[in-house]
């Protein structure tokens, strides 16, 4: 009688389980996006029209643009809740400078510089002062929205140059497609962001920082410099989104984009980006953004109240956060039971 060799290996760690599930979760979100599109095409009249698809995707253009740097931030274990306020500040500044007689070609670089400055402030407080990003950006959320109100007050500025306004609206599409120019810009930037995150040393550094910041630092990763850069890029994109939002609606207001920070974070987390950092894919984040936009449009076409739409978005967000962790806990328990099972002798 011989004893079977003990070939049991140690059960995979919880972090590796969650990471593997996150990678599969983004595929599930992509499948769900296709399913929602299929349901809409088969059940709702006008959903598949070129005009409606152009409107549906253009309606989330600003959220989608901000979601790209937010994905990088969350992968690195950080978050920026001030993005919607920076959008509002960018919009207010655009309106105030236009009303003051500035050329629009001069206004845009100034607004982008303000976005960079706001990102620098966030990043400096996090990386140099050592404050947590959640607390910092809650504070600057109020600060930037307050500055927007100071810049423009309760006024609304309209009548922007038609050539730029036409670029942003959903009635102007890339010839032969239903893609608007802001959405096309988002797709191009998404490809660039995906390459940076998944095919460069910087991307690997982001995952390392999010997984274990101290270990990444001792491995030679410039942690503080990279985090500062991420906040700067997020501020830049948020300010630019304010310009796009202003042109799309033809109105600059201090309260533009109010509440968008929740939509951005919901999209990123829905796509499988772990809020603890170190896990996720850019594909998942993009799929999450598009899913929220398509679902919102489909519910609107079916006369579903806005309050119900908010509830649906919230449920999706809760499910996206809880499901991978619940499945990971179940799988880990099974591995532990298997590891503790006595070896059968033959």
């Amino acid at each position: 009688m011989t004893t079977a060799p003990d070939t049991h290996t140690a059960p995979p760690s919880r972090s590796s389980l969650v990471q593997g599930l996150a990678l599969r979760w983004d595929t599930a979100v992509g499948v769900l996006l296709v399913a929602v599109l299929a349901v809409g095409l088969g059940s709702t009249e006008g959903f598949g029209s070129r005009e409606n698809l152009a409107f549906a995707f253009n309606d989330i253009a600003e959220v989608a643009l901000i979601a790209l740097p937010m994905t990088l931030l969350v992968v690195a274990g950080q978050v920026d809740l001030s993005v919607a306020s920076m959008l509002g500040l960018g919009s207010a500044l655009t309106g105030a400078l236009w009303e003051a007689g500035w050329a629009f070609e001069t206004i845009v670089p100034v607004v982008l510089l303000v976005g960079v400055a706001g990102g620098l402030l966030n990043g400096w407080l996090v990386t140099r002062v050592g404050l947590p990003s959640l607390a910092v950006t809650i504070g600057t959320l109020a600060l930037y929205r307050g500055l927007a109100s100071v810049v423009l007050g309760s006024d609304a500025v309209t009548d922007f140059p038609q050539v730029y306004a036409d670029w942003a609206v959903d009635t102007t599409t890339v010839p032969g497609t239903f893609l608007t120019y802001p959405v096309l810009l988002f797709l191009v930037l998404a490809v660039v962001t995906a390459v940076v995150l998944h095919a460069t040393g910087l991307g690997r550094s982001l995952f390392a920082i999010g997984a274990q910041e101290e270990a990444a630092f001792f491995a030679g990763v410039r942690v503080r410099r990279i985090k500062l850069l991420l906040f700067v890029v997020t501020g830049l994109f948020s300010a630019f989104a304010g310009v796009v939002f202003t042109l799309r609606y033809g109105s600059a207001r201090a309260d533009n984009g109010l509440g968008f920070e929740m939509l951005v974070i919901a999209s990123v987390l829905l796509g499988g980006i772990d809020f603890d950092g170190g896990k996720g894919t850019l594909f998942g984040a993009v799929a999450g953004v598009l899913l929220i936009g398509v679902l919102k449009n489909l519910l609107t076409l079916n006369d579903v109240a806005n309050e119900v739409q908010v509830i649906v978005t919230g449920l999706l967000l809760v499910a996206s956060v809880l499901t991978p962790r619940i499945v990971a806990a179940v799988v880990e328990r099974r591995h532990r039971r298997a590891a503790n099972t006595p070896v059968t002798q033959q």
Side-chain angles (χ1 to χ4, degrees), residues 89-104:
L89 178 57
S91 177
L93 189 58
T94 300
L97 294 179
W98 177 250
E99 195 172 41
W102 286 42
F104 202 81

Side-chain angles (χ1 to χ4, degrees), residues 263-303:
L263 278 177
V264 173
I265 294 173
S267 301
V268 170
L269 298 186
L270 178 60
I273 309 298
D274 196 301
F275 197 70
D276 294 329
K279 310 175 188 71
T281 67
L282 199 279
F283 169 79
V286 172
V289 171
L290 298 180
L291 176 60
I292 286 181
V294 169
L295 190 58
K296 176 183 176 183
N297 178 258
L298 183 59
L299 293 175
T300 300
L301 289 177
N302 285 280
D303 297 323

Side-chain angles (χ1 to χ4, degrees), residues 89-236:
L89 178 57
S91 177
L93 189 58
T94 300
L97 294 179
W98 177 250
E99 195 172 41
W102 286 42
F104 202 81
E105 295 79 7
T106 306
I107 292 173
V108 174
V110 171
V111 171
L112 296 183
L113 284 174
V114 170
V116 169
L120 275 172
L121 176 60
N122 287 337
W124 181 78
L125 290 172
V126 171
T127 62
R128 303 298 174 179
V129 182
L131 300 175
S133 60
L134 184 64
V136 166
T137 56
I138 287 176
T140 53
L141 176 154
L143 172 63
Y144 299 154
R145 188 65 70 177
L147 288 175
S149 298
V150 170
V151 167
L152 199 59
S154 59
D155 298 333
V157 178
T158 57
D159 298 325
F160 294 98
Q162 195 62 41
V163 62
Y164 296 112
D166 287 343
W167 175 85
V169 296
D170 60 272
T171 54
T172 304
T173 57
V174 179
T177 72
F178 61 83
L179 298 177
T180 63
Y181 285 97
V183 172
L184 178 62
L185 176 62
F186 159 71
L187 293 176
V188 172
L189 292 174
V191 172
V192 174
T193 306
V195 171
V196 170
L197 182 60
H198 299 295
T200 68
L202 175 58
R204 290 188 289 274
S205 296
L206 297 182
F207 282 107
I209 293 171
Q212 181 53 261
E213 182 176 321
E214 186 175 356
F217 173 77
F218 285 112
V221 176
R222 297 180 178 274
V223 175
R224 293 199 298 183
R225 181 176 298 181
I226 290 175
K227 290 199 295 186
L228 180 64
L229 175 63
L230 292 179
F231 280 106
V232 169
V233 174
T234 304
L236 175 68

Side-chain angles (χ1 to χ4, degrees), residues 59-72:
D59 194 42
I60 57 166
E62 299 84 13
V63 171
L65 286 169
I66 300 173
L68 295 177
M70 184 69 80
T71 298
L72 303 184

